[in-house]
Structures are given as C-alpha cells and as structure tokens.
Amino acid sequence: MELKSELNRINELAKKAKTEGLTDKEKIEQKELRGQYLKRFRSAFEKHLHGLTVVDELGNDVTPEKLKKSKKRRHKH
C-alpha cells in the first residue's frame, strides 16, 4: 500500500474507533498498518541520524560516541 493511502486508512480507522468502534478484523488491520508505518518511520529516522555529524563552534567533531559506533556497525553490513 502506498504511504499516503496507508496513512489515510490509519486515520480512518482511528476516527471510526473513536466514534463507533472497530470490528475484530478492523482492529487487526489497524494494528498491522500501524506496525508497518512505524517500521518505515524508524528505518527512515535511523538513516537520517546516520547521516549526521555534530560539530562545535570551533569545527571539532563532537558526534556522540554511541552514534559513531552505530554508524560503524551499519556500514559493516
């Protein structure tokens, strides 16, 4: 499913859940759609973070060690 239509469906189900409630089938669909969306979001966010370098006013690389290690692990794969 395309991201835009997926988000629209997630929102439709959320609105329906608040107004009239969801069937068991719709609850399952909602859970699956939310899971897929979060997986994509986390992946994109992680990719974005791995593209960052933190530099102080003097031009020194002050990227947190945890992020540097994560970048190295990712580039090994």
Side-chain angles (χ1 to χ4, degrees):
M1 190 181 279
E2 183 185 320
L3 182 61
K4 189 172 183 177
S5 61
E6 189 175 288
L7 281 174
N8 287 338
R9 184 63 179 153
I10 289 170
N11 290 331
E12 286 173 15
L13 290 170
K15 184 177 181 179
K16 185 177 179 193
K18 290 178 185 176
T19 57
E20 57 191 273
L22 298 175
T23 65
D24 289 339
K25 187 176 177 180
E26 288 170 327
K27 288 177 186 178
I28 292 168
E29 179 187 8
Q30 182 183 44
K31 185 176 181 178
E32 288 174 357
L33 286 171
R34 285 178 173 173
Q36 292 169 4
Y37 176 78
L38 285 174
K39 185 176 180 179
R40 275 197 212 123
F41 178 86
R42 288 178 180 131
S43 175
F45 188 77
E46 183 179 1
K47 185 176 179 181
H48 181 74
L49 276 178
H50 285 130
L52 294 177
T53 300
V54 182
V55 180
D56 67 9
E57 309 84 33
L58 302 174
N60 300 314
D61 182 355
V62 293
T63 305
E65 286 301 316
K66 187 174 183 178
L67 180 55
K68 287 181 184 179
K69 288 178 185 176
S70 179
K71 285 181 183 183
K72 286 180 184 176
R73 276 195 310 270
R74 184 175 177 133
H75 290 297
K76 286 181 182 179
H77 296 262

